[in-house]
Amino acid sequence: QVQLVESGGGLVQAGGSLRLSCVASGSIFSINAMSWYRQAPGKQRDLVATINKGGNTTNYADSVKGRFTISRDNAKNGVYLQMNSLKPEDTAVYYCHAIIRTTYDGSYWGEGTLVTVSS
């Protein structure tokens, strides 16, 4: 069984920073792409950033480019999201997602961590 556990959410003032972490555990053979999504109240879940297996290719939503940085540590099965210059519109539940190979390739989600940015 595979689990993704996020941490690092919280309340921050506009202009501040937060760092989200997500660690995968369980019977993992390998982890392919890892991503962060977010879902604001009443809205759909949107992709924020993604990073490939090697950690050398990243993609970002236009709304966070230049402010957020995704990274990963394959030795720790972790993915991270450094969020700077936060805006109230960044308020959302942030979810970690990964494509993980056990006996097959599966799509896994964390339970989410709430980020609230006050103005």
Side-chain angles (χ1 to χ4, degrees), residues 6 14 16 20 26 30 41 49-50 55 73 76 78 80 89 91 103 107 113:
E6 301 105 332
L20 305 184
S30 65
T50 190
D73 183 337
K76 297 180 179 179
Y80 312 95
E89 52 263 44
T91 295
T103 56
S107 174
T113 185

Side-chain angles (χ1 to χ4, degrees), residues 36-81:
W36 287 96
Y37 286 74
R38 68 185 181 187
Q39 187 168 19
K43 296 189 176 181
Q44 66 182 18
R45 189 175 298 187
D46 291 325
L47 178 65
V48 175
T50 190
I51 187 167
N52 71 338
K53 184 176 182 178
N56 57 351
T57 300
T58 58
N59 285 289
Y60 297 91
D62 288 342
S63 59
V64 307
K65 281 180 181 177
R67 300 188 298 122
F68 290 10
T69 302
I70 189 171
S71 61
R72 65 189 289 170
D73 183 337
N74 289 337
K76 297 180 179 179
N77 290 338
V79 63
Y80 312 95
L81 187 68

